[in-house]
Amino acid sequence: MAKAIYSTHLGFFDILPDESPKWRALENIIHEEAAKFNFEEIRTPILEQTELIKRGVGQLTDIVTKEIFAFTKGDSNYVLRPELTAPVVRAYVQHHLGQRGGSQKLYYIGPMFRAERPQKGRQRQFHQFGVEIIGSDNPIADVECIAFMIRIYQRIGIQNFDLKLNSVGDPESRDRYKEVLKDYLKPNLSKLSELSQNRFEKNPMRILDSKEPEDQEFIKNAPVIGDHLNDESTEHFTRVCELLDKLNISYTLDPLLVRGMDYYTRTAFELTSSDLGSQDALAGGGRYDLLVEEIGGQPTPAVGFAAGMERLLIACEELEIKLGSEKSVDIYLVTLGEKAQTWGIETLSKFREMGISATMDYMGRSMKAQMKDANRENARYALIVGENELETGLLTLRNMEESEELQLTIDQVLGKFRS
Ligand code: HAM
């Protein structure tokens, strides 16, 4: 026998039949809530050109420097998408979605890939749902994004989260702040991690997102962007806070929140949960008013968020929230002998046409084994058919929950399910 090949230890996971109902339930909730918000679904390819992700997410981000799965085929360079904001913006530009009029309110569900060190809540293939609203710079769009994000957790019953909020400013405010930040960091530059030293000239704000231990002391005491916002960014942020207050969405201001991608401008937010371990970020997002232009479109403001679906499901487990119903089937045909099997496969389609779920044994097993299987499948009824039953026309219908049996003709059985 050949040696088995497994991939779990690499941070890639199978979603097994026992788990898929909760995934389906979660996806249904997302689709239903998205419809209520009038968001439209977008699906983009798993592969994107490396250049798009480098330009979109940022050359000096952890994602681009350490985490992308990249490969070359012919003379093209591809990555497995690590996130969907840049790809959705690419699709928006490529297909001139702006011409449909108004702001484009898009949502998505799907797998992403990052070559991070796997641990609980951190996989190399994980799933996100998210929203991108492209075309509006109004704080209403920021708040609708946040409201949708929170609505999903509330509907599921996850209440224990903290919304962290910041403004990372517009280009003018950021340029001003970058100089202040550099002046502050410069005297201790040699004490910072190598990664942060590399980021110092080109992208000093990225240092604030560093996870390196030697940087933490300097990050903690760094000047904050909030003190260097211009009037426009301050006004925008104040209005976002005002609208969140109106909706009774509570938040904590976190002046050091910069997020892991370079595209953010003005609003930035993160949702964390104490029900998760060290990977406590449930979701994150913000405004990215320069990205559409960066990717080749007209200057167009936008805002969005994405949420980790595995992390949401981990929180459900911690809180003992059950998503999705237990598997079950309406009727299990227990067939004994070939004639009964032929009758069985014909009868299955009659039930299914009536909208009744129906299954039968495929292995020619004994009656006892088939009844055991019907139990395992959580069948509501078993219909027992052997050669005798076919001759007399009287079948045994067993109510599995109540352990009651009736002798009925097939027409009576079908009639019972029809009513
Ligand atoms: P992000 O913060 O990188 O943002 O990811 C969003 C969420 O995806 C995280 O909060 C986390 O729940 C989940 N996540 C990220 N990496 C992993 C991983 N390795 N394993 C499991 N879950 C993970 C974005 O991706 C932005 N595109 C969000 C956005 C949309 N900003 C504007 N629009």
Side-chain angles (χ1 to χ4, degrees), residues 214-294:
E214 60 266 51
D215 297 338
Q216 299 312 311
E217 182 193 334
F218 302 106
I219 295 174
K220 204 170 61 199
N221 301 316
V224 296
I225 178 121
D227 295 336
H228 302 275
L229 295 181
N230 60 14
D231 289 350
E232 276 180 4
S233 280
T234 306
E235 235 171 74
H236 192 276
F237 192 52
T238 309
R239 179 83 176 132
V240 169
C241 296
E242 214 175 82
L243 291 172
L244 287 173
D245 292 339
K246 277 263 179 261
L247 296 186
N248 288 323
I249 296 177
S250 44
Y251 52 85
T252 318
L253 296 179
D254 181 351
L256 288 173
L257 179 72
V258 288
R259 309 263 310 122
M261 291 88 178
D262 281 349
Y263 47 63
Y264 291 110
T265 51
R266 302 203 267 190
T267 317
F269 54 87
E270 217 156 71
L271 196 70
T272 56
S273 165
S274 53
D275 295 319
L276 297 172
S278 61
Q279 300 306 311
D280 66 348
L282 280 171
R287 189 159 267 293
Y288 47 94
D289 291 341
L290 306 176
L291 186 60
V292 179
E293 195 178 0
E294 178 64 41

Coordinates of all heavy atoms in Angstrom, one line a residue, residues 214-294:
E214 N 11.2 43.8 19.4 CA 12.0 44.9 19.7 C 11.4 46.3 19.3 O 11.9 47.3 19.7 CB 13.5 44.8 19.1 CG 13.5 44.6 17.6 CD 13.5 43.2 17.1 OE1 12.6 42.4 17.6 OE2 14.4 42.8 16.3
D215 N 10.4 46.2 18.5 CA 9.8 47.5 18.0 C 8.7 48.0 18.9 O 8.3 49.1 18.9 CB 9.1 47.3 16.6 CG 10.2 46.9 15.6 OD1 11.3 47.2 15.8 OD2 9.8 46.4 14.5
Q216 N 8.2 47.1 19.8 CA 6.9 47.4 20.5 C 7.0 48.6 21.4 O 6.1 49.4 21.5 CB 6.4 46.1 21.3 CG 6.1 44.9 20.4 CD 5.3 45.2 19.2 OE1 4.2 45.9 19.3 NE2 5.7 44.8 18.0
E217 N 8.1 48.7 22.1 CA 8.3 49.8 23.0 C 8.2 51.2 22.3 O 7.6 52.1 22.8 CB 9.7 49.7 23.7 CG 10.1 50.7 24.7 CD 11.6 50.6 25.0 OE1 12.1 49.5 24.8 OE2 12.1 51.7 25.4
F218 N 8.8 51.2 21.1 CA 8.8 52.5 20.3 C 7.4 52.7 19.7 O 7.0 53.9 19.6 CB 9.9 52.4 19.2 CG 11.2 52.2 19.8 CD1 11.8 51.0 19.7 CD2 11.8 53.2 20.6 CE1 13.1 50.7 20.3 CE2 13.1 53.0 21.2 CZ 13.7 51.7 21.1
I219 N 6.7 51.7 19.4 CA 5.4 51.8 18.8 C 4.4 52.4 19.8 O 3.6 53.3 19.6 CB 4.9 50.5 18.2 CG1 5.7 50.0 17.1 CG2 3.4 50.6 17.8 CD1 5.4 48.6 16.5
K220 N 4.6 51.8 21.0 CA 3.6 52.2 22.1 C 3.6 53.7 22.4 O 2.6 54.3 22.6 CB 4.1 51.4 23.4 CG 3.0 51.2 24.4 CD 3.5 50.3 25.5 CE 4.7 50.8 26.3 NZ 5.5 49.9 27.0
N221 N 4.8 54.3 22.3 CA 4.9 55.7 22.7 C 5.0 56.7 21.4 O 5.2 57.8 21.6 CB 6.2 55.9 23.5 CG 6.1 55.1 24.8 OD1 5.1 55.1 25.4 ND2 7.2 54.4 25.1
A222 N 4.7 56.1 20.3 CA 4.8 56.9 19.0 C 3.7 58.0 19.0 O 2.6 57.8 19.6 CB 4.6 56.0 17.8
P223 N 4.0 59.1 18.3 CA 3.0 60.1 18.1 C 1.8 59.5 17.3 O 2.1 58.5 16.5 CB 3.7 61.2 17.3 CG 4.9 60.6 16.7 CD 5.3 59.4 17.6
V224 N 0.6 60.0 17.5 CA -0.5 59.3 16.8 C -1.0 60.2 15.6 O -1.0 61.4 15.7 CB -1.7 59.0 17.7 CG1 -1.2 57.9 18.7 CG2 -2.2 60.2 18.4
I225 N -1.5 59.5 14.6 CA -2.0 60.3 13.4 C -3.1 61.2 13.7 O -3.3 62.3 13.1 CB -2.3 59.3 12.2 CG1 -2.9 60.1 11.0 CG2 -3.4 58.3 12.6 CD1 -2.1 59.9 9.8
G226 N -4.0 60.8 14.7 CA -5.1 61.6 15.1 C -4.8 63.0 15.4 O -5.6 63.9 15.1
D227 N -3.6 63.3 15.9 CA -3.2 64.6 16.2 C -2.7 65.4 15.0 O -2.3 66.6 15.1 CB -2.0 64.6 17.2 CG -2.5 64.0 18.6 OD1 -3.7 64.1 18.8 OD2 -1.6 63.5 19.3
H228 N -2.6 64.7 13.8 CA -2.1 65.4 12.7 C -3.0 65.3 11.5 O -2.6 65.6 10.3 CB -0.7 64.7 12.3 CG 0.2 64.8 13.4 ND1 1.0 65.9 13.7 CD2 0.5 64.0 14.5 CE1 1.7 65.7 14.8 NE2 1.4 64.6 15.3
L229 N -4.3 65.1 11.7 CA -5.2 65.0 10.6 C -5.6 66.5 10.2 O -5.7 67.4 11.0 CB -6.5 64.3 11.1 CG -6.5 62.9 11.4 CD1 -7.9 62.4 11.8 CD2 -5.9 62.0 10.2
N230 N -5.8 66.7 8.9 CA -6.3 68.0 8.4 C -7.8 68.1 8.7 O -8.4 67.1 9.1 CB -5.9 68.2 7.0 CG -6.6 67.2 6.0 OD1 -7.5 66.5 6.5 ND2 -6.1 67.1 4.8
D231 N -8.4 69.2 8.4 CA -9.8 69.5 8.8 C -10.7 68.5 8.1 O -11.6 68.0 8.7 CB -10.2 70.9 8.4 CG -9.5 71.9 9.3 OD1 -8.9 71.5 10.3 OD2 -9.6 73.1 9.0
E232 N -10.4 68.2 6.8 CA -11.3 67.3 6.1 C -11.4 65.9 6.7 O -12.4 65.3 6.8 CB -10.9 67.2 4.6 CG -11.4 68.4 3.8 CD -10.9 68.2 2.3 OE1 -10.3 67.3 2.0 OE2 -11.2 69.2 1.6
S233 N -10.2 65.4 7.0 CA -10.2 64.0 7.5 C -10.8 64.0 8.9 O -11.5 63.0 9.3 CB -8.7 63.5 7.6 OG -8.3 63.1 6.3
T234 N -10.6 65.1 9.7 CA -11.2 65.1 11.0 C -12.7 65.1 10.9 O -13.4 64.4 11.6 CB -10.7 66.4 11.8 OG1 -9.3 66.4 11.7 CG2 -11.2 66.4 13.2
E235 N -13.2 66.0 10.0 CA -14.6 66.1 9.8 C -15.2 64.7 9.4 O -16.3 64.3 9.9 CB -14.9 67.0 8.6 CG -15.8 68.2 9.0 CD -15.8 69.2 7.8 OE1 -16.4 68.9 6.8 OE2 -15.2 70.2 8.0
H236 N -14.5 64.0 8.5 CA -15.0 62.7 8.0 C -15.1 61.8 9.1 O -16.1 61.1 9.3 CB -14.1 62.2 6.9 CG -14.6 61.1 6.1 ND1 -14.5 59.8 6.6 CD2 -15.3 61.0 5.0 CE1 -15.1 59.0 5.7 NE2 -15.6 59.7 4.7
F237 N -14.0 61.7 9.9 CA -14.0 60.8 11.0 C -15.0 61.1 12.1 O -15.7 60.2 12.6 CB -12.6 60.8 11.6 CG -12.3 59.7 12.6 CD1 -12.5 58.4 12.2 CD2 -11.8 59.9 13.9 CE1 -12.3 57.3 13.0 CE2 -11.6 58.8 14.7 CZ -11.8 57.5 14.3
T238 N -15.2 62.4 12.4 CA -16.2 62.8 13.4 C -17.6 62.3 12.9 O -18.4 61.8 13.7 CB -16.2 64.3 13.5 OG1 -14.9 64.7 13.7 CG2 -17.1 64.8 14.7
R239 N -17.9 62.5 11.7 CA -19.2 62.1 11.1 C -19.4 60.5 11.2 O -20.4 60.0 11.5 CB -19.3 62.5 9.7 CG -20.6 62.2 9.0 CD -21.7 63.2 9.3 NE -22.9 62.8 8.6 CZ -24.1 62.7 9.1 NH1 -24.3 62.9 10.4 NH2 -25.1 62.4 8.3
V240 N -18.3 59.8 10.9 CA -18.4 58.3 11.0 C -18.7 57.9 12.5 O -19.7 57.2 12.7 CB -17.0 57.6 10.7 CG1 -17.0 56.1 11.0 CG2 -16.7 57.8 9.2
C241 N -18.1 58.6 13.4 CA -18.3 58.3 14.9 C -19.8 58.7 15.2 O -20.5 57.9 15.9 CB -17.4 59.0 15.8 SG -15.7 58.5 15.5
E242 N -20.2 59.8 14.7 CA -21.5 60.3 15.0 C -22.6 59.3 14.5 O -23.6 59.0 15.2 CB -21.7 61.6 14.2 CG -22.5 62.7 14.8 CD -22.4 63.9 13.8 OE1 -23.1 64.0 12.8 OE2 -21.5 64.8 14.1
L243 N -22.4 58.8 13.3 CA -23.4 57.9 12.7 C -23.4 56.5 13.5 O -24.4 55.9 13.7 CB -23.1 57.6 11.2 CG -23.4 58.9 10.3 CD1 -22.9 58.6 8.9 CD2 -24.9 59.2 10.3
L244 N -22.2 56.1 13.9 CA -22.1 54.8 14.7 C -22.8 55.0 16.0 O -23.6 54.1 16.4 CB -20.6 54.5 14.9 CG -19.8 53.9 13.7 CD1 -18.4 53.8 14.1 CD2 -20.4 52.6 13.3
D245 N -22.7 56.2 16.6 CA -23.4 56.5 17.8 C -24.9 56.4 17.6 O -25.7 55.8 18.4 CB -23.1 57.9 18.4 CG -21.6 58.0 18.9 OD1 -21.0 56.9 19.1 OD2 -21.1 59.1 18.9
K246 N -25.4 57.0 16.5 CA -26.8 57.0 16.1 C -27.3 55.5 16.1 O -28.4 55.3 16.4 CB -27.0 57.6 14.8 CG -27.1 59.1 14.8 CD -28.6 59.6 14.8 CE -28.7 61.1 14.9 NZ -29.0 61.5 16.3
L247 N -26.5 54.6 15.5 CA -26.9 53.2 15.4 C -26.6 52.4 16.6 O -26.8 51.2 16.6 CB -26.1 52.6 14.2 CG -26.4 53.2 12.8 CD1 -25.7 52.3 11.7 CD2 -27.9 53.2 12.5
N248 N -26.2 53.1 17.7 CA -25.8 52.4 18.9 C -24.8 51.3 18.7 O -24.8 50.3 19.4 CB -27.1 51.7 19.6 CG -28.0 52.8 20.2 OD1 -27.5 53.8 20.7 ND2 -29.3 52.6 20.0
I249 N -23.8 51.6 17.8 CA -22.7 50.6 17.6 C -21.6 51.2 18.4 O -21.1 52.3 18.2 CB -22.3 50.5 16.1 CG1 -23.5 49.9 15.3 CG2 -21.1 49.7 15.9 CD1 -23.3 49.8 13.8
S250 N -21.2 50.4 19.5 CA -20.1 51.0 20.3 C -18.7 50.6 19.7 O -18.6 49.6 19.0 CB -20.2 50.5 21.7 OG -20.5 49.2 21.8
Y251 N -17.8 51.5 20.0 CA -16.4 51.3 19.4 C -15.4 51.9 20.4 O -15.7 52.6 21.3 CB -16.3 52.0 18.1 CG -16.8 53.5 18.1 CD1 -15.9 54.5 18.6 CD2 -18.1 53.8 17.9 CE1 -16.4 55.8 18.6 CE2 -18.6 55.1 17.9 CZ -17.7 56.1 18.3 OH -18.1 57.4 18.4
T252 N -14.1 51.5 20.2 CA -13.0 52.0 21.0 C -12.1 52.7 20.0 O -11.8 52.1 19.0 CB -12.2 50.9 21.6 OG1 -13.1 49.9 22.1 CG2 -11.3 51.4 22.7
L253 N -11.7 53.9 20.3 CA -10.8 54.6 19.4 C -9.4 54.0 19.7 O -9.0 53.9 20.8 CB -10.8 56.1 19.7 CG -12.1 56.8 19.4 CD1 -12.0 58.3 19.7 CD2 -12.5 56.6 17.9
D254 N -8.7 53.6 18.6 CA -7.4 53.0 18.7 C -6.4 53.8 17.8 O -6.3 53.5 16.6 CB -7.4 51.5 18.3 CG -6.1 50.9 18.4 OD1 -5.1 51.6 18.7 OD2 -6.0 49.6 18.3
P255 N -5.8 54.8 18.4 CA -5.0 55.7 17.6 C -3.8 55.1 16.9 O -3.2 55.7 15.9 CB -4.5 56.8 18.6 CG -4.8 56.3 19.9 CD -5.7 55.1 19.8
L256 N -3.4 53.8 17.3 CA -2.3 53.2 16.6 C -2.7 52.2 15.6 O -1.9 51.5 15.0 CB -1.4 52.5 17.7 CG -0.6 53.5 18.5 CD1 0.1 52.8 19.6 CD2 0.4 54.3 17.7
L257 N -4.0 52.0 15.4 CA -4.5 51.0 14.4 C -4.1 51.5 13.0 O -4.6 52.5 12.5 CB -6.0 50.9 14.5 CG -6.6 49.9 13.6 CD1 -6.3 48.4 13.9 CD2 -8.1 50.0 13.6
V258 N -3.3 50.7 12.3 CA -2.9 51.1 10.9 C -3.3 50.1 9.9 O -3.4 50.3 8.7 CB -1.5 51.5 10.7 CG1 -1.1 52.8 11.3 CG2 -0.5 50.4 11.1
R259 N -3.6 48.8 10.3 CA -3.9 47.7 9.5 C -2.8 47.2 8.6 O -1.8 47.9 8.5 CB -5.2 48.1 8.6 CG -6.3 48.6 9.4 CD -7.4 47.5 9.7 NE -7.8 46.8 8.5 CZ -7.7 45.5 8.5 NH1 -7.2 44.8 9.5 NH2 -8.1 44.8 7.4
G260 N -3.0 46.0 8.0 CA -1.8 45.4 7.3 C -1.6 45.7 5.8 O -0.7 45.2 5.2
M261 N -2.5 46.5 5.3 CA -2.3 46.8 3.8 C -2.0 48.3 3.7 O -2.5 49.1 4.5 CB -3.6 46.5 3.1 CG -3.9 45.0 2.9 SD -4.8 44.5 4.3 CE -5.1 42.8 3.9
D262 N -1.4 48.7 2.6 CA -1.0 50.1 2.3 C -2.1 50.9 1.8 O -2.0 52.1 1.7 CB 0.2 50.1 1.4 CG 1.5 49.8 2.1 OD1 1.5 49.8 3.4 OD2 2.5 49.6 1.5
Y263 N -3.2 50.3 1.3 CA -4.2 51.1 0.6 C -5.1 51.9 1.4 O -5.9 52.7 0.9 CB -5.0 50.2 -0.4 CG -5.6 48.9 0.2 CD1 -6.5 48.9 1.2 CD2 -5.2 47.7 -0.4 CE1 -7.1 47.7 1.7 CE2 -5.8 46.5 0.0 CZ -6.7 46.5 1.1 OH -7.2 45.3 1.5
Y264 N -5.0 51.8 2.8 CA -6.0 52.5 3.6 C -5.8 54.0 3.7 O -4.7 54.5 3.7 CB -6.1 51.9 5.0 CG -6.6 50.5 5.0 CD1 -5.8 49.4 5.3 CD2 -8.0 50.3 4.8 CE1 -6.4 48.1 5.3 CE2 -8.5 49.0 4.7 CZ -7.7 47.9 5.0 OH -8.3 46.7 5.0
T265 N -6.9 54.7 3.6 CA -6.9 56.2 3.8 C -8.1 56.4 4.8 O -9.1 55.7 4.7 CB -7.2 56.9 2.5 OG1 -8.4 56.3 1.9 CG2 -6.1 56.8 1.5
R266 N -8.0 57.4 5.6 CA -9.1 57.8 6.5 C -9.5 56.6 7.4 O -8.7 55.9 8.0 CB -10.2 58.5 5.8 CG -9.7 59.7 5.0 CD -10.7 60.7 4.8 NE -11.3 60.5 3.4 CZ -12.1 61.3 2.8 NH1 -12.5 62.4 3.4 NH2 -12.6 61.1 1.6
T267 N -10.8 56.2 7.4 CA -11.4 55.2 8.3 C -10.6 53.9 8.3 O -10.4 53.3 7.2 CB -12.8 55.0 8.0 OG1 -13.5 56.2 7.8 CG2 -13.5 54.3 9.2
A268 N -10.2 53.4 9.4 CA -9.7 52.0 9.5 C -10.3 51.4 10.7 O -10.5 52.1 11.8 CB -8.2 52.0 9.7
F269 N -10.7 50.1 10.6 CA -11.3 49.5 11.8 C -11.0 48.0 11.9 O -10.6 47.4 10.9 CB -12.9 49.7 11.8 CG -13.5 49.2 10.5 CD1 -13.9 47.9 10.3 CD2 -13.8 50.1 9.5 CE1 -14.6 47.5 9.2 CE2 -14.4 49.7 8.3 CZ -14.8 48.4 8.1
E270 N -11.1 47.5 13.1 CA -10.9 46.0 13.3 C -11.9 45.5 14.3 O -12.2 46.3 15.3 CB -9.5 45.8 13.8 CG -8.8 44.6 13.2 CD -7.3 44.7 13.2 OE1 -6.7 44.6 14.3 OE2 -6.7 44.8 12.1
L271 N -12.4 44.3 14.1 CA -13.3 43.8 15.1 C -12.5 42.6 15.8 O -12.1 41.7 15.1 CB -14.5 43.2 14.4 CG -15.7 42.9 15.2 CD1 -16.4 44.2 15.7 CD2 -16.8 42.2 14.4
T272 N -12.4 42.7 17.1 CA -11.7 41.6 17.8 C -12.6 41.0 18.8 O -13.6 41.5 19.2 CB -10.4 42.1 18.5 OG1 -10.9 43.2 19.4 CG2 -9.4 42.7 17.6
S273 N -12.2 39.7 19.2 CA -13.1 39.0 20.1 C -12.3 38.3 21.2 O -11.3 37.7 20.8 CB -13.9 37.9 19.3 OG -14.5 37.0 20.3
S274 N -12.7 38.4 22.4 CA -11.9 37.8 23.5 C -12.3 36.3 23.5 O -11.7 35.5 24.3 CB -12.3 38.4 24.8 OG -13.7 38.5 25.0
D275 N -13.2 35.8 22.7 CA -13.5 34.4 22.6 C -12.5 33.7 21.7 O -12.6 32.5 21.6 CB -15.0 34.2 22.1 CG -16.0 34.8 23.0 OD1 -15.8 34.6 24.2 OD2 -17.0 35.4 22.5
L276 N -11.7 34.4 21.1 CA -10.6 33.8 20.2 C -9.3 33.8 21.0 O -9.2 34.6 22.0 CB -10.5 34.5 18.9 CG -11.7 34.5 18.0 CD1 -11.4 35.5 16.8 CD2 -12.0 33.1 17.5
G277 N -8.3 33.0 20.6 CA -7.1 33.0 21.3 C -6.2 34.2 20.8 O -6.7 35.3 20.7
S278 N -4.9 33.9 20.5 CA -4.0 35.0 20.1 C -4.4 35.6 18.8 O -4.2 36.7 18.5 CB -2.6 34.5 20.1 OG -2.5 33.4 19.1
Q279 N -5.1 34.8 17.9 CA -5.5 35.3 16.6 C -6.9 35.9 16.8 O -7.9 35.3 16.5 CB -5.6 34.2 15.6 CG -4.2 33.6 15.3 CD -3.2 34.6 15.0 OE1 -3.4 35.4 14.1 NE2 -2.0 34.5 15.6
D280 N -7.0 37.1 17.5 CA -8.3 37.5 18.0 C -9.0 38.4 17.0 O -10.1 38.9 17.3 CB -8.1 38.2 19.3 CG -7.3 39.5 19.2 OD1 -6.7 39.7 18.1 OD2 -7.3 40.3 20.2
A281 N -8.5 38.7 15.8 CA -9.2 39.6 14.8 C -10.2 38.8 14.1 O -9.9 37.9 13.3 CB -8.2 40.2 13.9
L282 N -11.5 39.2 14.3 CA -12.6 38.5 13.6 C -12.7 39.1 12.2 O -12.9 38.4 11.2 CB -13.9 38.8 14.3 CG -14.3 38.0 15.5 CD1 -15.5 38.6 16.2 CD2 -14.6 36.6 15.1
A283 N -12.5 40.4 12.1 CA -12.7 41.1 10.8 C -11.9 42.4 10.8 O -11.6 42.9 11.9 CB -14.2 41.4 10.6
G284 N -11.7 43.0 9.6 CA -11.1 44.3 9.6 C -11.4 45.0 8.2 O -11.7 44.3 7.3
G285 N -11.2 46.3 8.2 CA -11.5 47.0 7.0 C -11.2 48.4 7.1 O -10.5 48.9 8.0
G286 N -11.7 49.2 6.1 CA -11.5 50.6 6.1 C -11.7 51.2 4.7 O -12.0 50.5 3.8
R287 N -11.3 52.5 4.7 CA -11.5 53.2 3.4 C -10.2 53.2 2.6 O -9.1 53.1 3.2 CB -11.8 54.7 3.8 CG -12.2 55.6 2.8 CD -13.0 56.8 3.3 NE -14.4 56.5 3.3 CZ -15.2 56.4 2.2 NH1 -14.6 56.5 1.0 NH2 -16.5 56.2 2.3
Y288 N -10.4 53.1 1.3 CA -9.2 53.1 0.4 C -9.5 54.0 -0.8 O -9.7 53.5 -1.9 CB -8.8 51.6 0.0 CG -10.0 50.8 -0.4 CD1 -10.3 50.7 -1.8 CD2 -10.8 50.1 0.5 CE1 -11.4 49.9 -2.2 CE2 -11.8 49.3 0.1 CZ -12.1 49.2 -1.3 OH -13.2 48.5 -1.7
D289 N -9.4 55.3 -0.6 CA -9.8 56.2 -1.6 C -8.9 56.3 -2.8 O -9.2 56.9 -3.8 CB -10.0 57.6 -1.0 CG -11.3 57.6 0.0 OD1 -12.1 56.7 -0.1 OD2 -11.3 58.5 0.8
L290 N -7.7 55.8 -2.7 CA -6.7 56.0 -3.8 C -6.5 54.7 -4.6 O -5.8 54.7 -5.6 CB -5.3 56.4 -3.2 CG -5.4 57.6 -2.3 CD1 -4.0 57.9 -1.7 CD2 -5.8 58.8 -3.0
L291 N -7.1 53.6 -4.1 CA -6.7 52.3 -4.8 C -7.2 52.2 -6.2 O -6.5 51.7 -7.1 CB -7.2 51.2 -3.9 CG -6.9 49.8 -4.3 CD1 -5.4 49.6 -4.4 CD2 -7.5 48.7 -3.4
V292 N -8.4 52.7 -6.5 CA -9.0 52.5 -7.8 C -8.1 53.2 -8.8 O -7.7 52.6 -9.9 CB -10.4 53.1 -7.9 CG1 -11.0 52.9 -9.3 CG2 -11.4 52.4 -6.9
E293 N -7.6 54.4 -8.5 CA -6.7 55.1 -9.4 C -5.4 54.4 -9.5 O -4.8 54.2 -10.6 CB -6.5 56.5 -8.8 CG -5.9 57.5 -9.8 CD -5.7 58.9 -9.3 OE1 -6.1 59.1 -8.1 OE2 -5.2 59.7 -10.1
E294 N -4.9 53.9 -8.4 CA -3.6 53.1 -8.3 C -3.7 51.9 -9.3 O -2.7 51.6 -9.9 CB -3.4 52.7 -6.9 CG -2.1 51.8 -6.7 CD -0.9 52.6 -6.9 OE1 -0.8 53.8 -6.6 OE2 0.1 52.1 -7.6

